[in-house]
Amino acid sequence: MTMQDARMPEMPENTQVGWHKGYITGSRPDISVPVRRVHLTNGRDVTLYDTSGPYTDPNITTDVRRGLLPLRQNWITGRGDTGEYPGRPVRPEDDGLKHTAPRGGLRNLDAVFPGRPRLPRRSRDGQPVTQLGYARRGEITPEMEYVAIRENVSPETVREEIAAGRAVLPANVNHPESEPMIIGKRFLVKVNANIGNSAVTSSIEEEVDKMTWATRWGADTVMDLSTGRNIHTTREWVVRNSPVPIGTVPLYQALEKVDGRAEELTWEVYKDTVIEQAEQGVDYMTVHAGVLLRYVPLTARRKTGIVSRGGSIMAAWCLAHHKESFLYENFEELCEIFAAYDVTYSLGDGLRPGSIADANDEAQFAELRTLGELNTVAKRHNVQTMIEGPGHVPMHKIKENIDLQQEICEEAPFYTLGPLTTDIAPAYDHITSGIGAAMIAWWGTAMLCYVTPKEHLGLPDRDDVKTGVITYKIAAHAADLAKGHPGAQEWDDALSDARFEFRWEDQFNLALDPDSARAFHDETLPAEPAKTAHFCSMCGPKFCSMKISHSIREQHGGTMDEIEAGMREKSEEFAAAGNRVYLPIAE
Amino acid sequence: MTMQDARMPEMPENTQVGWHKGYITGSRPDISVPVRRVHLTNGRDVTLYDTSGPYTDPNITTDVRRGLLPLRQNWITGRGDTGEYPGRPVRPEDDGLKHTAPRGGLRNLDAVFPGRPRLPRRSRDGQPVTQLGYARRGEITPEMEYVAIRENVSPETVREEIAAGRAVLPANVNHPESEPMIIGKRFLVKVNANIGNSAVTSSIEEEVDKMTWATRWGADTVMDLSTGRNIHTTREWVVRNSPVPIGTVPLYQALEKVDGRAEELTWEVYKDTVIEQAEQGVDYMTVHAGVLLRYVPLTARRKTGIVSRGGSIMAAWCLAHHKESFLYENFEELCEIFAAYDVTYSLGDGLRPGSIADANDEAQFAELRTLGELNTVAKRHNVQTMIEGPGHVPMHKIKENIDLQQEICEEAPFYTLGPLTTDIAPAYDHITSGIGAAMIAWWGTAMLCYVTPKEHLGLPDRDDVKTGVITYKIAAHAADLAKGHPGAQEWDDALSDARFEFRWEDQFNLALDPDSARAFHDETLPAEPAKTAHFCSMCGPKFCSMKISHSIREQHGGTMDEIEAGMREKSEEFAAAGNRVYLPIAE
């Protein structure tokens, strides 16, 4: 397959209806933070967090074959602690092609992504170049100021949270295209969308398109979980075009390099893969270093065994060699690599439960304790770290997960997959898990990994990605509200005001998904006058409770005393006027 | 419109694939409780609760124009405390037709539902004929035994919970077609689906079809909230064909009878409407008797005022007359009517919050305290009673709702609408509310009123009804799990076992929605062999963690000691065998 004909990602038609992309400038002109400004018909604006990148700015021309502009490049070079170097050569097997493939089967891989603009970059002297390191030294980086503006908090708050290890700002020095964002319980709850082709289906174009599509609807980070062919090339296209941090599971690619034989995995192959991906600009990597040999038998009598791909691969490796994994044994060296590029750890929960029956069991919590130890090691190397969490957990067992993780991992950000609160609804696991996600985020999870309707059944398509992202934005925002995040309720209030005042267009434009809200309304009341009608098709014009409330409000404004005093008088007027609080239905 | 051509409700094609309708017989042959028996490919059966009525029994011929068989008729007549009587005459205005309509515009209403089989029935001597009354006298009715079988508890438990007012068994003596079910926190969490035409859209056929469709997917009760024309006739068709209890809000029809003028509502019109509906067989009625005059000003400075239709109508009435409502003033007489037919109260929360901003405010909780007083009055009359709850509530304010309701209303069943946990997602309010519904049900809500994707935007169509019901079955079941309801987890375990053992057909057939689960799987792996494949399209054959787990399990069965002892030996065997824990991908 050639990528010369890769499509421009399609933007939804209504992108620019009712809102525009705005920017807030920081202390220097190149700190320019994008926001979504929704224009209300009453003349006001509502400013919302925006993850959609330059694609929604009509003043910026994007070209998927050249990639996005490197907005962080000057900040990175300006720090003077990193330098370019030739980088490792890209090899056919990086793309899952056989060493033994016929020569005609290999293409010039440099040509595959035409726009690759820079040599890779890493720490100049082996010292950490991480946001954690800077924060601990008391430095407020442009990245920190950027997220402070996004989150509407002080830059010092951002620096403190990162320095304490309670938040991460994933920002590989080789992904200067990304717009800084922060993951931590003091900030807005974030949502990750997984994309990735597999051996069975999907293509590079589709994955790039899914990435821009996911961020269009609010994904804060994207994980590329590709496992099949073209794995290196797909990643290059995704990273170069991504305005959000990109995460991966390097183990998947490493396994491809040893032809799928888990026992042939070595530290050398894995390390080479990590460097390959770090040079491309991957911002955070899932590492299943907590799967210890002695934990594997704890899973033997589980209902669903090990359901994490990475976890099962590492378990198989440990069994084959009867020793602790190369990830665990070489964790300190891995930290040094991560520190040299500012790759953030996402310490994987390889033994997470895959069913209600297996939730909160010994295997799961044993691994969590090991992740706590690894978190301490990573922090010693100034590597930013978050901890992954389940999975499948019934509601009454959810809180124990976040409480234990926060205690064991010194409040490092928790990054959970759902959890799914029941197993009985395949095709609706965005909902079974959205319930658990909202609850665990309220209680402290910093980032939620989305689940789509295809979970357990197949790979998500474009519609599934959108449904998954929207569902998880709901869970995240419900949690922001419950946590009392400053400013979170303003959005709800703006929408409810619009609803009460029958400003239909404002309701649509303020909705998480304006297109669907508008379409659903128009199914029964499509005519343009219905957009200003003081009723909807749910009750029809005769029974509109909102309208009756307006009548009550008109009669009972003012202070409580005035209301009490005025009640009888108003009541008499009301009766005299015929008490028509709603329009008669047209006969 | 004529109903002569009303369609038979369509059943989904896959109704009888992988499961069949079974019955469990009680202490007498006419106590025959329907269940759904799912046949697994491993030879086992899983028995699930079934709400779909005779429509899914291929041995029963149903005719929507004749109605269902009156399975409770002999139980009702056998008690000897009720008798038939002529009933009130059905009048044109019962169907929302004008008194002044031209004579040619009136049809013979008796002909509209051809199958009406019986005269109405009521208490013979004015004494209560309610399940609460029987329970308090120590009687275990056939209805109680029926639900005991359905819930897998003892009949005495059912009687006790009803007698204590902690559960209701809605069973109007004029709805003998309904299959008894129970609503109470000690039992499975129930789901109600709203249907109903409005002045703007929908027809009788559609509403009957939506009722059978909703129960097909698991709705435990259905509320007919029709507000437009043919309101009496629609209800007759719905009740005669419904295997589940039917609820209504009589106020909507009463308002039609006074041409939409709230102030012209009188106790006489309302009472006439309640009797009309009680004679038809409505099992529970929402009554907004808790809206007191002094509470109305409390809503004046709310963000979204009064959002309950019934609440706003009663508020307008109270203002117009400057006195307490005819519902509140005549509540004792209303109790006597309810007791004579065994209509169950659903005491409406007319002042429920319609936005996050208004949750848990003074107006809402003031009304709740009044509902507590009315609950006490109703119980004195032996009338079964449940209490309606919100609405829009952020997660951190949900628990206060159920705790306060249980305290104030002496543990009467709580029946909540969601609650929605954020306002920002019109078109996804099944999800914003599914989150709140699962949580409040875990904490004690007995029945959840569903919300569909069309909430706030329009009337639900067939697909919306299904999505709403499935979403709420998820919430209800997640709550059953979290409450530790006996047997709830068996369903999850059966599905997870099927998943782990790659029994795809069993996964589909055990799913809440087998059709969608199968369709999603088949999108990427449609071929029949994929149904027995030991992988899916999510990871492809190379990375299947489940398969790796099987390998681990095979090596590490037995006790923990045996596992420990066997680990080194097995490890060596594993290595010698090539460590191939998954199939190589086909090249």
Side-chain angles (χ1 to χ4, degrees), chain A residues 15 29 142 160 300 329 346 348 368 395 406 410 486 505 515:
Chain A
T15 294
E160 274 175 17
E329 297 289 342
S346 185
L368 180 58
M395 283 191 287
Q406 288 288 290
E410 297 177 321
E505 286 295 340
D515 302 352

Side-chain angles (χ1 to χ4, degrees), chain B residues 152-170:
Chain B
N152 202 19
V153 298
S154 74
E156 177 56 19
T157 299
V158 172
R159 191 203 61 76
E160 275 175 15
E161 291 298 303
I162 295 173
R166 287 190 297 264
V168 296
L169 195 166

Side-chain angles (χ1 to χ4, degrees), chain B residues 472-521:
Chain B
Y472 271 70
K473 293 300 277 189
I474 289 169
H477 184 74
D480 290 336
L481 283 177
K483 287 162 72 175
H485 190 90
Q489 196 180 313
E490 286 173 28
W491 191 355
D492 298 71
D493 289 353
L495 198 142
S496 289
D497 282 339
R499 184 169 281 156
F500 191 65
E501 292 167 13
F502 299 100
R503 288 183 272 114
W504 286 99
E505 285 295 340
D506 292 348
Q507 276 192 64
F508 304 149
N509 290 329
L510 284 165
L512 264 182
D513 177 4
D515 302 352
S516 296
R518 187 177 282 109
F520 284 7
H521 174 268

Side-chain angles (χ1 to χ4, degrees), chain A residues 21-206:
Chain A
K21 184 103 171 183
Y23 294 91
I24 299 173
T25 306
S27 64
R28 37 192 278 189
D30 64 349
I31 296 179
S32 181
V33 179
V35 292
R36 178 179 169 125
R37 291 207 200 277
V38 181
H39 311 303
L40 305 186
T41 55
N42 65 3
R44 289 196 206 144
D45 274 6
V46 175
T47 299
L48 302 176
Y49 194 102
D50 180 55
T51 59
S52 61
Y55 301 104
T56 49
D57 186 337
N59 299 316
I60 298 180
T61 305
T62 58
D63 179 350
V64 74
R65 299 175 62 239
R66 299 179 63 87
L68 299 177
L69 290 176
L71 68 98
R72 293 201 301 124
Q73 189 68 14
N74 289 341
W75 308 345
I76 295 164
T77 56
R79 286 192 276 264
D81 54 359
T82 57
E84 292 187 341
Y85 68 107
R88 69 185 275 292
V90 178
R91 292 185 292 262
E93 56 266 36
D94 297 345
D95 259 339
L97 302 172
K98 288 280 169 229
H99 317 271
T100 55
R103 189 148 188 83
L106 302 182
R107 287 165 292 111
N108 177 352
L109 288 166
D110 285 337
V112 168
F113 180 75
R116 182 165 183 110
R118 295 169 299 272
L119 287 174
R121 171 178 292 278
R122 67 183 173 197
S123 166
R124 200 179 282 282
D125 56 4
Q127 292 304 303
V129 296
T130 66
Q131 297 290 324
L132 175 56
Y134 305 140
R136 283 178 167 173
R137 294 206 305 252
E139 287 176 35
I140 292 174
T141 61
E143 285 89 344
M144 294 176 203
E145 186 187 336
Y146 191 105
V147 301
I149 293 169
R150 277 190 125 165
E151 300 273 349
N152 202 19
V153 297
S154 74
E156 178 56 21
T157 299
V158 172
R159 190 202 62 75
E160 274 175 17
E161 291 298 304
I162 295 173
R166 287 190 297 264
V168 296
L169 195 165
N172 185 324
V173 296
N174 291 310
H175 188 200
E177 300 92 344
S178 77
E179 298 171 350
M181 52 79 69
I182 194 161
I183 303 164
K185 64 183 174 182
R186 299 273 194 287
F187 304 100
L188 292 166
V189 175
K190 302 304 187 297
V191 171
N192 172 68
N194 290 336
I195 61 169
N197 58 8
S198 82
V200 173
T201 180
S202 200
S203 73
I204 296 178
E205 288 105 326
E206 277 177 51

